Amino acid sequence: MAVETGRVAGGRRERNKAQKRGRILSAARRLLAEQGYARMTMAQVAEGADVAIGTVFQYAATKAELLMMVTADRWSQTIPAVIGAVGRDAEPVTVVCRLLEPLLEASRDEPENTMAIARELLFGAPGPHREAVVQLVADLEDAVAGVFRAAGAGERANAAARLVVSGGMLEVNRTRTGRASGDSVEARLTELIEVALRGARGG
């Protein structure tokens, strides 16, 4: 009987943790959408999630890690889905554009937050949520490299894929700072893919 009680208690604890995590994610997503990463505070997230601020820090040690926690949760659904759904029989530049659609969608919907994500990926401190996002980006790069290899890119396919994904993130910054129109992101990204593929082919 004691074992049974312990099992129930353990299950309840896990459910409570999952519920708190869900509330923290929901509050952080809402605040990011409403006021952006720069203005969001951990105290606001705690209030929105109806938890103590110390509880938020248990799930994300820093504000940057909280951003990565939200990003990992979102991209863990969108990136694998698009990798699995995109056909490989279309023109390679079109296929790669489709693979990068989660990044394009994020840049269109929340350009400031997307730039903060890019900054953390490029320069951020290590952390479990950041590493989860880094792995998702690596999976995306692998998918792009596969398309490039199939299109004749050879051994330079991996480098070209890294250039395209990181370059796409930098293009988001150009839009956010007003150096380029948001309406032209897709066209600029297409040009970047074409140049990377041509270079990888040695042409």
Side-chain angles (χ1 to χ4, degrees):
M1 179 65 73
V3 173
E4 181 74 17
T5 302
R7 187 161 61 241
V8 171
R12 186 179 298 117
R13 280 195 298 271
E14 292 306 311
R15 286 196 300 273
N16 287 339
K17 286 173 62 177
Q19 289 170 358
K20 286 179 182 177
R21 184 180 187 277
R23 295 204 306 272
I24 290 167
L25 275 170
S26 179
R29 274 196 297 262
R30 178 178 56 78
L31 287 163
L32 284 167
E34 289 177 356
Q35 60 190 52
Y37 176 70
R39 291 174 296 282
M40 181 187 75
T41 69
M42 299 290 265
Q44 288 174 333
V45 173
E47 182 178 359
D50 193 25
V51 297
I53 191 167
T55 301
V56 178
F57 283 110
Q58 289 176 7
Y59 289 86
T62 65
K63 181 179 171 181
E65 266 289 274
L66 182 58
L67 174 67
M68 292 290 101
M69 179 179 169
V70 172
T71 304
D73 182 71
R74 179 181 296 158
W75 287 8
S76 66
Q77 301 171 46
T78 58
I79 288 179
V82 76
I83 289 174
V86 169
R88 301 298 193 267
D89 52 350
E91 198 273 331
V93 174
T94 300
V95 174
V96 173
C97 279
R98 290 174 184 163
L99 286 170
L100 298 181
E101 182 57 32
L103 301 184
L104 285 174
E105 181 179 337
S107 73
R108 288 192 298 262
D109 294 347
E110 298 181 16
E112 177 198 336
N113 296 334
T114 305
M115 193 56 233
I117 292 165
R119 187 170 57 246
E120 288 304 317
L121 284 172
L122 293 170
F123 308 114
H129 299 304
R130 178 181 180 274
E131 294 311 308
V133 178
V134 167
Q135 183 56 59
L136 287 164
V137 172
D139 293 343
L140 185 59
E141 288 174 350
D142 287 345
V144 172
V147 175
F148 283 167
R149 274 192 296 272
E155 61 185 20
R156 295 196 225 177
N158 288 341
R162 291 195 301 272
L163 286 172
V164 164
V165 175
S166 61
M169 292 180 179
L170 292 174
E171 286 298 330
V172 171
N173 187 45
R174 281 166 48 83
T175 299
R176 189 185 70 85
T177 56
R179 289 183 293 144
S181 166
D183 295 336
S184 67
V185 172
E186 191 164 354
R188 299 197 318 269
L189 190 55
T190 298
E191 182 180 26
L192 180 65
I193 295 166
E194 290 171 345
V195 170
L197 179 56
R198 188 162 57 245
R201 283 170 166 167

